[in-house]
Amino acid sequence: MSTLRFHAVKESLSHTPVTVQENERRSDLFGKNVFNETAMRQHLSKDAYKGVMNAVEHGSKIDRNIADQVASSMKDWALSKGVTHYTHWFQPLTGITAEKHDAFFETIDRGMSVEKFGGDQLVQQEPDASSFPSGGIRNTFEARGYTAWDPTSPAFIYGTTLCIPTIFVAYTGEALDYKTPLLRALHEVDAAATAVCKYFDKNVKKVTSSLGWEQEYFLIDKTLASSRPDIILTGRTLLGHSPAKGQQLDDHYFGSIPNRALNFMRELEKECMLVGIPVKTRHNEVAPNQFELAPIYEEANLAVDHNSLLMDIMGRVASRHNFKVLLHEKPFAGVNGSGKHNNWSLSTDTGINLLGPGKTPMSNLQFLTFFINTIKAVHDYEELLRAAIASASNDHRLGANEAPPAIISVFIGEQLTKVLAELEGVTKGKLSPEEKTDLKLNVVGKIPDVLLDNTDRNRTSPFAFTGNKFEFRAVGSQANCGNPMTVLNTIVAKQLKDFKVEVDALIDKKGLKKDEAIFNILREYIKASRNILFEGNGYGDAWAKEAKKRGLSNNKTTPEALKAKISKKAIALFEEMNVMSKIETEARYEIEIEEYIMHIQIEGRVLGDIARNHIVPTAVKYQNVLIKNVKGLKEIFEEKYKGVSQEQLNLIEDISNHIAGINANVSKMTNERKIANSIDDIEKKAHAYCFKVKPLFDDIRYHCDKLELLVDDEIWPLTKYRELLFTR
């Protein structure tokens, strides 16, 4: 047992739970390393505190004098906690976070030094942007980019570094990150939703978009993961035969959490508490060694920052516990993949959840207004929503019998479907007193009672209403939430903006009363959006055929899905809503399509290397053992040897056939890559990788996985699924 695989298995079995000290209450730990409102009250002057809070709550600019005061206080606070460096912490279009650490330390005259951090360093920095994706926004020699402080997301300490959340833009002003468009979208949905809220409550001055993400992930022993080149280089297993036992017994889901994993979770939660991530829920997920973490809901911008930070913290904590966290959407074939459900809602500054039914017909009419407008927005921009969650890794998960399909639909439940059917029958124009009474008492008034028993039971829906929020389930586990949240908030803002125009027109030009106008417009929206509502099973050909009849898109692959991002409709939407310019929209398309190509290219190279340099030599080695065995049998049994060695001969032939299959398909894949690489048009190149290169992965894997079942376990070089998934 001299292979790396068995050394890894042996070492993994020696790993024991790492002790985690939990001496403090969560409430005492929470936000301890965050320059939050509590810290600002203690460390800032009254004017400085007021300046920051005005920026947070009203978007006011912070003048340089105030910025200097904030920087000085932030530095003193950080130094008191042992901090040595600071960084502008941002989210470029790489999908991960970025940071450049600078020391507070500065030299002054006569060999002396001082800790220095001023308003200039707080508000803006100029990192080299040449190596970050830009989608052609700027040339390599025009490498300047700027990070600018986002006061709505508080600074935090991680390790010995003060991290200041920032946006990241090109020197020409275009956004080069996920945060900038999100902030713009949140501003637009606030304005549009607040205007609509005025129909129901004149006191509403602000509407906030909230997000609660659910992070699924796999925990694999670090030593075992390190023995797999495919996991190290691509984040997933490119080959490997399914074990006899997988998830079919449903014995992992919500089961007792293994001690090693539990201690990892304890330390992870402690780290999260310190930096203000309000994690609350942890449990086993469906697949072996799969888990989930979920927080309390937060304002969307902060929630996106916290999820990006969490994914970084998870990797660091996992390493201390001899684990590797796999965030890939489908790291293992044959078992469930991982998603990141985005639970989204809108709330007013008066404390009302706009997607939660109330106790009065008026509050329920408000609920229906935002509920139906959201459905209409999804209906009108379903292709754009699909594009927002498109990636090479998520393509493996969508529609894979445990995740929603690539067809975007909305699930609202049987009872709410009946409510919409009632509203669809509202009389056009003015309503009779009897109809008004019937609507308010028997339809709208009873919504809270309807929802009591209307829990969501359809796990295949990509966009489901779950009582007081919509849950966008199709988001991938390693995705930055900023992308789907930007699109969702933008399309809802656009829809609410159009809704107000239409309602006001009926009031001003047709003389309808407010409620009558609202009911009339909602009726038309229900009719127009009927095709997006789906209550059935989202898997299989039946729904695909039905969706096609309804005019819904079914973009199964990323190259197909991403086209929606640069449609005239999408560009017009983002420009009208001041979320992204045409240049920014097209740049993002180019970045994401290039990223797709590179992912498939890397996976192809890794798979070819493993197949030819690991699998084939091992198969030949075992085949030689069999050949030697057959030769020995021939010496002993002479002309009768075929009868006693037939199984070995068959095995030798099978191995030869699989080796030939591997070599032929790897050669074909390499040739298809060369052809694809010679294509200049990026869209055609992506399609070549998607439909010519990628399908060969399955053919290569088939032969490799068959050999895994034939070759002696003692010499098989790659750690097997049974070891990766069931080693605790």
Side-chain angles (χ1 to χ4, degrees):
M1 297 198 302
S2 59
T3 65
L4 174 63
R5 170 189 160 211
F6 286 107
H7 282 299
V9 170
K10 184 178 179 181
E11 185 175 334
S12 71
L13 294 174
S14 71
H15 291 154
T16 57
V18 175
T19 303
V20 178
Q21 298 295 329
E22 291 185 293
N23 303 324
E24 297 179 77
R25 293 183 179 183
R26 297 295 174 88
S27 56
D28 293 331
L29 284 173
F30 186 69
K32 202 170 183 178
N33 289 344
V34 181
F35 198 66
N36 52 22
E37 192 172 339
T38 301
M40 285 192 291
R41 284 183 182 276
Q42 293 175 353
H43 295 275
L44 295 183
S45 68
K46 188 175 180 180
D47 287 344
Y49 173 78
K50 188 177 179 181
V52 174
M53 294 311 295
N54 279 336
V56 172
E57 294 171 1
H58 308 296
S60 307
K61 284 193 173 183
I62 297 176
D63 66 41
R64 191 49 55 96
N65 181 49
I66 294 294
D68 284 334
Q69 292 183 49
V70 174
S72 177
S73 298
M74 197 181 283
K75 177 198 69 177
D76 292 342
W77 169 78
L79 291 174
S80 72
K81 291 178 173 288
V83 168
T84 59
H85 288 68
Y86 66 92
T87 181
H88 275 201
W89 182 85
F90 56 103
Q91 299 167 53
L93 297 172
T94 55
I96 58 175
T97 59
E99 51 197 66
K100 180 189 74 170
H101 296 196
D102 286 304
F104 287 120
F105 174 81
E106 292 280 350
T107 57
I108 55 177
D109 293 340
R110 299 177 183 177
M112 294 184 289
S113 61
V114 67
E115 315 313 301
K116 186 178 179 182
F117 181 61
D120 289 346
Q121 288 88 6
L122 169 64
V123 172
Q124 183 175 300
Q125 282 194 335
E126 187 179 327
D128 182 354
S130 61
S131 295
F132 290 113
S134 71
I137 283 178
R138 50 103 191 104
N139 296 310
T140 301
F141 62 84
E142 296 166 331
R144 280 180 297 166
Y146 296 102
T147 51
W149 177 34
D150 171 20
T152 65
S153 185
F156 59 90
I157 294 168
Y158 194 68
T160 58
T161 304
L162 173 67
C163 300
I164 302 158
T166 60
I167 62 169
F168 181 44
V169 296
Y171 79 102
T172 47
E174 290 89 2
L176 293 174
D177 65 345
Y178 288 108
K179 181 185 274 279
T180 305
L182 175 63
L183 289 173
R184 294 169 184 164
L186 295 176
H187 173 76
E188 293 300 320
V189 82
D190 171 18
T194 300
V196 172
C197 281
K198 298 288 187 185
Y199 288 137
F200 308 98
D201 184 356
K202 299 289 186 184
N203 296 316
V204 174
K205 294 182 176 64
K206 185 177 178 61
V207 172
T208 302
S209 170
S210 64
L211 168 64
W213 38 263
E214 302 169 25
Q215 182 68 61
E216 295 177 342
Y217 61 96
F218 281 84
L219 268 186
I220 305 301
D221 186 272
K222 183 167 67 173
T223 310
L224 296 180
S226 297
S227 71
R228 294 280 309 221
D230 47 359
I231 290 179
I232 298 302
L233 295 174
T234 73
R236 75 180 181 105
T237 54
L238 297 173
L239 46 80
H241 198 280
S242 297
K245 179 182 183 293
Q247 64 187 45
Q248 61 266 50
L249 296 179
D250 297 323
D251 54 348
H252 187 67
Y253 190 53
F254 274 36
S256 176
I257 301 172
N259 286 336
R260 275 185 69 196
L262 185 59
N263 280 14
F264 156 78
M265 292 176 183
R266 284 171 177 156
E267 184 174 353
L268 174 63
E269 289 169 4
K270 182 179 179 181
E271 294 281 344
C272 287
M273 286 290 123
L274 289 170
V275 294
I277 305 175
V279 293
K280 185 173 177 66
T281 303
R282 65 190 184 203
H283 63 82
N284 289 0
E285 257 300 333
V286 174
N289 279 354
Q290 187 186 31
F291 305 93
E292 182 179 295
L293 174 78
I296 297 170
Y297 290 27
E298 299 179 282
E299 185 273 324
N301 177 46
L302 187 57
V304 169
D305 280 2
H306 279 166
N307 183 252
S308 297
L309 177 58
L310 169 87
M311 291 190 284
D312 183 35
I313 294 174
M314 287 175 84
R316 300 186 193 201
V317 174
S319 185
R320 294 199 288 267
H321 288 256
N322 294 306
F323 280 126
K324 183 173 179 61
V325 170
L326 300 186
L327 292 172
H328 193 286
E329 283 78 3
K330 196 74 173 177
F332 301 101
V335 297
N336 278 16
S338 298
K340 177 152 47 196
H341 298 180
N342 277 210
N343 295 279
W344 171 88
S345 189
L346 295 170
S347 301
T348 69
D349 57 347
T350 57
I352 301 299
N353 177 2
L354 295 172
L355 289 174
K359 297 179 180 179
T360 66
M362 180 58 75
S363 61
N364 286 331
L365 181 55
Q366 178 175 264
F367 155 70
L368 283 170
T369 295
F370 285 90
F371 176 69
I372 293 169
N373 271 282
T374 301
I375 293 171
K376 177 72 160 50
V378 174
H379 174 272
D380 291 354
Y381 292 97
E382 48 93 7
E383 279 197 280
L384 190 55
L385 267 183
R386 167 66 182 96
I389 47 94
S391 69
S393 52
N394 208 20
D395 281 357
H396 292 285
R397 168 179 166 262
L398 294 178
N401 297 325
E402 83 280 349
I407 304 165
I408 299 296
S409 64
V410 179
F411 174 89
I412 62 172
E414 183 181 350
Q415 298 303 321
L416 279 174
T417 300
K418 290 179 180 177
V419 170
L420 296 196
E422 293 267 10
L423 292 176
E424 196 175 341
V426 169
T427 301
K428 187 173 183 179
K430 293 186 177 181
L431 309 180
S432 67
E434 293 78 17
E435 190 172 16
K436 280 186 182 180
T437 301
D438 184 63
L439 280 170
K440 289 184 177 179
L441 294 180
N442 298 321
V443 181
V444 179
K446 291 186 177 180
I447 287 176
D449 298 327
V450 165
L451 293 186
L452 286 176
D453 259 342
N454 190 39
T455 52
D456 167 35
R457 297 183 180 88
N458 189 335
R459 308 309 295 171
T460 68
S461 174
F463 199 88
F465 183 70
T466 54
N468 61 358
K469 63 188 183 302
F470 279 101
E471 185 176 353
F472 193 10
R473 296 200 185 110
V475 181
S477 53
Q478 63 183 338
N480 185 301
C481 296
N483 206 355
M485 283 297 102
T486 295
V487 171
L488 180 55
N489 284 288
T490 301
I491 64 175
V492 171
K494 162 68 172 165
Q495 181 54 52
L496 291 172
K497 183 180 173 184
D498 292 348
F499 171 77
K500 188 171 189 309
V501 170
E502 293 183 61
V503 170
D504 287 348
L506 288 184
I507 294 171
D508 297 338
K509 296 176 183 177
K510 300 289 186 180
L512 268 61
K513 291 184 178 179
K514 179 185 67 179
D515 287 5
E516 290 175 329
I518 290 172
F519 275 125
N520 270 260
I521 299 301
L522 292 182
R523 177 197 63 223
E524 297 307 313
Y525 285 177
I526 293 166
K527 290 178 181 177
S529 308
R530 191 186 295 121
N531 286 344
I532 201 73
L533 299 177
F534 179 62
E535 306 294 305
N537 187 344
Y539 301 141
D541 294 334
W543 169 228
K545 289 177 182 177
E546 173 63 22
K548 188 175 181 180
K549 285 181 186 177
R550 296 186 184 194
L552 301 178
S553 65
N554 185 11
N555 296 321
K556 294 181 180 179
T557 69
T558 291
E560 294 170 300
L562 287 178
K563 281 291 289 180
K565 282 199 168 185
I566 51 170
S567 65
K568 290 181 180 179
K569 184 177 179 181
I571 290 171
L573 166 74
F574 289 128
E575 286 191 321
E576 179 189 341
M577 302 309 295
N578 302 307
V579 171
M580 285 189 287
S581 66
K582 183 180 180 182
I583 291 173
E584 289 171 319
T585 302
E586 290 176 340
R588 274 163 169 69
Y589 169 77
E590 187 171 326
I591 289 167
E592 290 178 36
I593 205 78
E594 281 183 346
E595 183 183 9
Y596 176 84
I597 291 168
M598 287 186 284
H599 271 290
I600 304 302
Q601 186 182 77
I602 291 167
E603 287 190 349
R605 288 172 174 170
V606 172
L607 179 57
D609 172 56
I610 294 174
R612 278 187 165 161
N613 295 325
H614 294 68
I615 305 303
V616 169
T618 302
V620 170
K621 183 178 180 180
Y622 183 57
Q623 193 177 47
N624 287 336
V625 171
L626 293 173
I627 291 170
K628 186 177 180 181
N629 176 260
V630 170
K631 286 180 177 178
L633 291 173
K634 187 176 182 180
E635 287 181 9
I636 296 171
F637 294 100
E638 297 179 345
E639 67 272 5
K640 295 180 181 179
Y641 87 96
K642 282 192 176 181
V644 295
S645 64
Q646 191 58 52
E647 291 302 320
Q648 291 93 319
L649 291 169
N650 290 341
L651 195 51
I652 290 168
E653 185 178 359
D654 286 345
I655 290 172
S656 290
N657 289 336
H658 289 305
I659 290 172
I662 290 170
N663 282 321
N665 282 295
V666 169
S667 295
K668 189 176 179 182
M669 178 185 67
T670 304
N671 188 53
E672 290 292 352
R673 280 208 318 268
K674 289 178 181 177
I675 294 171
N677 290 338
S678 68
I679 300 172
D680 293 327
D681 184 287
I682 193 167
E683 185 182 330
K684 291 179 181 177
K685 190 176 197 176
H687 275 76
Y689 265 98
C690 183
F691 298 109
K692 296 291 186 180
V693 176
K694 188 182 171 188
L696 293 167
F697 290 7
D698 291 336
D699 297 332
I700 296 167
R701 179 171 191 154
Y702 169 80
H703 292 292
C704 290
D705 289 357
K706 286 296 183 183
L707 285 174
E708 184 180 329
L709 296 177
L710 300 177
V711 171
D712 182 3
D713 182 66
E714 290 284 316
I715 63 171
W716 188 254
L718 298 180
T719 304
K720 295 188 175 184
Y721 267 33
R722 67 168 185 257
E723 294 149 353
L724 290 166
L725 288 170
F726 292 96
T727 299
R728 301 290 187 236

mmCIF file of all heavy atoms in Angstrom, residues 376-404:
data_model
loop_
_atom_site.group_PDB
_atom_site.id
_atom_site.type_symbol
_atom_site.label_atom_id
_atom_site.label_comp_id
_atom_site.label_asym_id
_atom_site.label_seq_id
_atom_site.Cartn_x
_atom_site.Cartn_y
_atom_site.Cartn_z
ATOM 1 N N LYS A 376 -44.575 39.557 -11.878
ATOM 2 C CA LYS A 376 -44.552 40.176 -13.215
ATOM 3 C C LYS A 376 -43.116 40.483 -13.644
ATOM 4 O O LYS A 376 -42.733 40.279 -14.805
ATOM 5 C CB LYS A 376 -45.372 41.468 -13.186
ATOM 6 C CG LYS A 376 -45.379 42.277 -14.485
ATOM 7 C CD LYS A 376 -46.191 41.609 -15.574
ATOM 8 C CE LYS A 376 -46.618 42.582 -16.669
ATOM 9 N NZ LYS A 376 -45.576 43.416 -17.221
ATOM 10 N N ALA A 377 -42.307 40.961 -12.706
ATOM 11 C CA ALA A 377 -40.903 41.265 -13.019
ATOM 12 C C ALA A 377 -40.159 40.001 -13.427
ATOM 13 O O ALA A 377 -39.390 39.999 -14.408
ATOM 14 C CB ALA A 377 -40.229 41.911 -11.811
ATOM 15 N N VAL A 378 -40.375 38.907 -12.694
ATOM 16 C CA VAL A 378 -39.720 37.636 -13.022
ATOM 17 C C VAL A 378 -40.197 37.130 -14.379
ATOM 18 O O VAL A 378 -39.405 36.633 -15.192
ATOM 19 C CB VAL A 378 -39.981 36.590 -11.919
ATOM 20 C CG1 VAL A 378 -39.430 35.222 -12.328
ATOM 21 C CG2 VAL A 378 -39.351 37.032 -10.602
ATOM 22 N N HIS A 379 -41.493 37.266 -14.637
ATOM 23 C CA HIS A 379 -42.038 36.844 -15.928
ATOM 24 C C HIS A 379 -41.382 37.601 -17.077
ATOM 25 O O HIS A 379 -40.974 37.017 -18.085
ATOM 26 C CB HIS A 379 -43.557 37.064 -15.960
ATOM 27 C CG HIS A 379 -44.170 36.792 -17.304
ATOM 28 N ND1 HIS A 379 -44.269 37.759 -18.286
ATOM 29 C CD2 HIS A 379 -44.681 35.659 -17.844
ATOM 30 C CE1 HIS A 379 -44.832 37.231 -19.360
ATOM 31 N NE2 HIS A 379 -45.090 35.961 -19.115
ATOM 32 N N ASP A 380 -41.264 38.896 -16.938
ATOM 33 C CA ASP A 380 -40.751 39.722 -18.026
ATOM 34 C C ASP A 380 -39.248 39.570 -18.238
ATOM 35 O O ASP A 380 -38.750 39.820 -19.340
ATOM 36 C CB ASP A 380 -41.080 41.196 -17.764
ATOM 37 C CG ASP A 380 -42.573 41.489 -17.879
ATOM 38 O OD1 ASP A 380 -43.337 40.573 -18.270
ATOM 39 O OD2 ASP A 380 -42.980 42.623 -17.563
ATOM 40 N N TYR A 381 -38.536 39.183 -17.177
ATOM 41 C CA TYR A 381 -37.064 39.120 -17.271
ATOM 42 C C TYR A 381 -36.521 37.768 -16.824
ATOM 43 O O TYR A 381 -35.431 37.685 -16.262
ATOM 44 C CB TYR A 381 -36.448 40.246 -16.436
ATOM 45 C CG TYR A 381 -36.721 41.617 -16.995
ATOM 46 C CD1 TYR A 381 -37.770 42.393 -16.501
ATOM 47 C CD2 TYR A 381 -35.945 42.152 -18.028
ATOM 48 C CE1 TYR A 381 -38.033 43.657 -17.011
ATOM 49 C CE2 TYR A 381 -36.193 43.412 -18.545
ATOM 50 C CZ TYR A 381 -37.239 44.162 -18.033
ATOM 51 O OH TYR A 381 -37.502 45.411 -18.554
ATOM 52 N N GLU A 382 -37.277 36.704 -17.117
ATOM 53 C CA GLU A 382 -36.834 35.378 -16.653
ATOM 54 C C GLU A 382 -35.501 34.971 -17.280
ATOM 55 O O GLU A 382 -34.665 34.342 -16.630
ATOM 56 C CB GLU A 382 -37.924 34.328 -16.904
ATOM 57 C CG GLU A 382 -38.555 34.319 -18.296
ATOM 58 C CD GLU A 382 -37.872 33.359 -19.246
ATOM 59 O OE1 GLU A 382 -37.001 32.615 -18.790
ATOM 60 O OE2 GLU A 382 -38.202 33.385 -20.443
ATOM 61 N N GLU A 383 -35.255 35.338 -18.521
ATOM 62 C CA GLU A 383 -33.971 34.985 -19.149
ATOM 63 C C GLU A 383 -32.803 35.698 -18.480
ATOM 64 O O GLU A 383 -31.718 35.145 -18.340
ATOM 65 C CB GLU A 383 -34.008 35.325 -20.639
ATOM 66 C CG GLU A 383 -34.715 34.284 -21.488
ATOM 67 C CD GLU A 383 -34.382 34.431 -22.952
ATOM 68 O OE1 GLU A 383 -34.977 35.301 -23.600
ATOM 69 O OE2 GLU A 383 -33.518 33.666 -23.452
ATOM 70 N N LEU A 384 -33.040 36.936 -18.057
ATOM 71 C CA LEU A 384 -31.981 37.697 -17.392
ATOM 72 C C LEU A 384 -31.684 37.112 -16.012
ATOM 73 O O LEU A 384 -30.527 37.060 -15.586
ATOM 74 C CB LEU A 384 -32.396 39.163 -17.279
ATOM 75 C CG LEU A 384 -31.318 40.156 -16.830
ATOM 76 C CD1 LEU A 384 -30.089 40.079 -17.721
ATOM 77 C CD2 LEU A 384 -31.878 41.571 -16.811
ATOM 78 N N LEU A 385 -32.724 36.658 -15.310
ATOM 79 C CA LEU A 385 -32.516 35.995 -14.019
ATOM 80 C C LEU A 385 -31.723 34.708 -14.194
ATOM 81 O O LEU A 385 -30.843 34.394 -13.388
ATOM 82 C CB LEU A 385 -33.861 35.681 -13.361
ATOM 83 C CG LEU A 385 -34.444 36.687 -12.380
ATOM 84 C CD1 LEU A 385 -35.742 36.150 -11.792
ATOM 85 C CD2 LEU A 385 -33.482 37.054 -11.269
ATOM 86 N N ARG A 386 -32.043 33.958 -15.246
ATOM 87 C CA ARG A 386 -31.284 32.730 -15.527
ATOM 88 C C ARG A 386 -29.820 33.068 -15.807
ATOM 89 O O ARG A 386 -28.909 32.382 -15.335
ATOM 90 C CB ARG A 386 -31.908 32.007 -16.732
ATOM 91 C CG ARG A 386 -31.051 30.895 -17.340
ATOM 92 C CD ARG A 386 -30.865 29.716 -16.393
ATOM 93 N NE ARG A 386 -30.015 28.686 -16.978
ATOM 94 C CZ ARG A 386 -28.712 28.561 -16.772
ATOM 95 N NH1 ARG A 386 -28.069 29.437 -15.990
ATOM 96 N NH2 ARG A 386 -28.026 27.571 -17.318
ATOM 97 N N ALA A 387 -29.595 34.143 -16.546
ATOM 98 C CA ALA A 387 -28.224 34.551 -16.854
ATOM 99 C C ALA A 387 -27.466 34.948 -15.600
ATOM 100 O O ALA A 387 -26.243 34.761 -15.510
ATOM 101 C CB ALA A 387 -28.228 35.709 -17.849
ATOM 102 N N ALA A 388 -28.176 35.476 -14.597
ATOM 103 C CA ALA A 388 -27.533 35.952 -13.369
ATOM 104 C C ALA A 388 -26.956 34.826 -12.533
ATOM 105 O O ALA A 388 -26.120 35.071 -11.658
ATOM 106 C CB ALA A 388 -28.534 36.757 -12.539
ATOM 107 N N ILE A 389 -27.390 33.587 -12.782
ATOM 108 C CA ILE A 389 -26.877 32.463 -11.981
ATOM 109 C C ILE A 389 -26.131 31.463 -12.875
ATOM 110 O O ILE A 389 -25.888 30.328 -12.476
ATOM 111 C CB ILE A 389 -28.013 31.773 -11.187
ATOM 112 C CG1 ILE A 389 -29.247 31.490 -12.056
ATOM 113 C CG2 ILE A 389 -28.449 32.644 -10.039
ATOM 114 C CD1 ILE A 389 -29.297 30.151 -12.662
ATOM 115 N N ALA A 390 -25.746 31.921 -14.077
ATOM 116 C CA ALA A 390 -25.070 31.032 -15.023
ATOM 117 C C ALA A 390 -23.576 30.943 -14.733
ATOM 118 O O ALA A 390 -22.916 31.950 -14.512
ATOM 119 C CB ALA A 390 -25.283 31.534 -16.449
ATOM 120 N N SER A 391 -23.060 29.731 -14.717
ATOM 121 C CA SER A 391 -21.614 29.497 -14.584
ATOM 122 C C SER A 391 -21.322 28.075 -15.012
ATOM 123 O O SER A 391 -22.217 27.222 -15.044
ATOM 124 C CB SER A 391 -21.143 29.712 -13.137
ATOM 125 O OG SER A 391 -21.644 28.693 -12.296
ATOM 126 N N ALA A 392 -20.078 27.812 -15.333
ATOM 127 C CA ALA A 392 -19.683 26.467 -15.749
ATOM 128 C C ALA A 392 -19.991 25.452 -14.661
ATOM 129 O O ALA A 392 -20.422 24.324 -14.942
ATOM 130 C CB ALA A 392 -18.191 26.443 -16.084
ATOM 131 N N SER A 393 -19.787 25.843 -13.414
ATOM 132 C CA SER A 393 -20.011 24.909 -12.308
ATOM 133 C C SER A 393 -21.493 24.717 -12.007
ATOM 134 O O SER A 393 -21.936 23.607 -11.721
ATOM 135 C CB SER A 393 -19.273 25.391 -11.056
ATOM 136 O OG SER A 393 -19.590 26.736 -10.764
ATOM 137 N N ASN A 394 -22.295 25.786 -12.102
ATOM 138 C CA ASN A 394 -23.725 25.660 -11.809
ATOM 139 C C ASN A 394 -24.450 24.888 -12.902
ATOM 140 O O ASN A 394 -25.523 24.328 -12.659
ATOM 141 C CB ASN A 394 -24.358 27.036 -11.622
ATOM 142 C CG ASN A 394 -25.563 27.010 -10.690
ATOM 143 O OD1 ASN A 394 -25.737 26.092 -9.889
ATOM 144 N ND2 ASN A 394 -26.407 28.010 -10.783
ATOM 145 N N ASP A 395 -23.886 24.843 -14.106
ATOM 146 C CA ASP A 395 -24.489 24.043 -15.183
ATOM 147 C C ASP A 395 -24.584 22.574 -14.788
ATOM 148 O O ASP A 395 -25.503 21.866 -15.211
ATOM 149 C CB ASP A 395 -23.649 24.154 -16.468
ATOM 150 C CG ASP A 395 -23.911 25.453 -17.218
ATOM 151 O OD1 ASP A 395 -24.773 26.233 -16.772
ATOM 152 O OD2 ASP A 395 -23.241 25.693 -18.240
ATOM 153 N N HIS A 396 -23.641 22.097 -13.995
ATOM 154 C CA HIS A 396 -23.657 20.695 -13.562
ATOM 155 C C HIS A 396 -24.811 20.423 -12.604
ATOM 156 O O HIS A 396 -25.312 19.303 -12.523
ATOM 157 C CB HIS A 396 -22.348 20.340 -12.847
ATOM 158 C CG HIS A 396 -21.156 20.341 -13.741
ATOM 159 N ND1 HIS A 396 -20.899 19.347 -14.649
ATOM 160 C CD2 HIS A 396 -20.143 21.230 -13.878
ATOM 161 C CE1 HIS A 396 -19.773 19.612 -15.292
ATOM 162 N NE2 HIS A 396 -19.295 20.753 -14.845
ATOM 163 N N ARG A 397 -25.220 21.450 -11.850
ATOM 164 C CA ARG A 397 -26.200 21.271 -10.784
ATOM 165 C C ARG A 397 -27.633 21.455 -11.262
ATOM 166 O O ARG A 397 -28.524 20.684 -10.892
ATOM 167 C CB ARG A 397 -25.888 22.259 -9.649
ATOM 168 C CG ARG A 397 -26.967 22.407 -8.600
ATOM 169 C CD ARG A 397 -26.538 23.392 -7.531
ATOM 170 N NE ARG A 397 -27.666 23.791 -6.698
ATOM 171 C CZ ARG A 397 -28.367 24.910 -6.844
ATOM 172 N NH1 ARG A 397 -28.040 25.771 -7.798
ATOM 173 N NH2 ARG A 397 -29.379 25.184 -6.056
ATOM 174 N N LEU A 398 -27.892 22.499 -12.044
ATOM 175 C CA LEU A 398 -29.263 22.829 -12.428
ATOM 176 C C LEU A 398 -29.909 21.671 -13.183
ATOM 177 O O LEU A 398 -29.383 21.186 -14.171
ATOM 178 C CB LEU A 398 -29.289 24.092 -13.278
ATOM 179 C CG LEU A 398 -28.855 25.384 -12.573
ATOM 180 C CD1 LEU A 398 -28.881 26.551 -13.545
ATOM 181 C CD2 LEU A 398 -29.758 25.676 -11.371
ATOM 182 N N GLY A 399 -31.060 21.241 -12.677
ATOM 183 C CA GLY A 399 -31.786 20.154 -13.314
ATOM 184 C C GLY A 399 -31.240 18.774 -13.023
ATOM 185 O O GLY A 399 -31.660 17.788 -13.635
ATOM 186 N N ALA A 400 -30.328 18.673 -12.055
ATOM 187 C CA ALA A 400 -29.680 17.382 -11.788
ATOM 188 C C ALA A 400 -30.388 16.594 -10.694
ATOM 189 O O ALA A 400 -29.766 16.007 -9.823
ATOM 190 C CB ALA A 400 -28.224 17.603 -11.410
ATOM 191 N N ASN A 401 -31.708 16.623 -10.708
ATOM 192 C CA ASN A 401 -32.547 15.811 -9.821
ATOM 193 C C ASN A 401 -32.494 16.161 -8.341
ATOM 194 O O ASN A 401 -33.078 15.468 -7.524
ATOM 195 C CB ASN A 401 -32.231 14.312 -9.988
ATOM 196 C CG ASN A 401 -32.553 13.834 -11.392
ATOM 197 O OD1 ASN A 401 -33.515 14.291 -12.006
ATOM 198 N ND2 ASN A 401 -31.738 12.945 -11.914
ATOM 199 N N GLU A 402 -31.784 17.236 -8.014
ATOM 200 C CA GLU A 402 -31.872 17.703 -6.632
ATOM 201 C C GLU A 402 -31.924 19.219 -6.608
ATOM 202 O O GLU A 402 -32.061 19.826 -5.577
ATOM 203 C CB GLU A 402 -30.677 17.214 -5.803
ATOM 204 C CG GLU A 402 -29.418 18.056 -5.918
ATOM 205 C CD GLU A 402 -28.594 17.791 -7.157
ATOM 206 O OE1 GLU A 402 -28.876 16.794 -7.848
ATOM 207 O OE2 GLU A 402 -27.667 18.572 -7.440
ATOM 208 N N ALA A 403 -31.791 19.822 -7.777
ATOM 209 C CA ALA A 403 -31.774 21.276 -7.879
ATOM 210 C C ALA A 403 -32.824 21.710 -8.891
ATOM 211 O O ALA A 403 -33.296 20.917 -9.699
ATOM 212 C CB ALA A 403 -30.391 21.743 -8.331
ATOM 213 N N PRO A 404 -33.207 22.980 -8.852
ATOM 214 C CA PRO A 404 -34.185 23.467 -9.824
ATOM 215 C C PRO A 404 -33.658 23.317 -11.250
ATOM 216 O O PRO A 404 -32.453 23.290 -11.470
ATOM 217 C CB PRO A 404 -34.330 24.952 -9.456
ATOM 218 C CG PRO A 404 -33.816 25.074 -8.073
ATOM 219 C CD PRO A 404 -32.764 24.029 -7.933
#
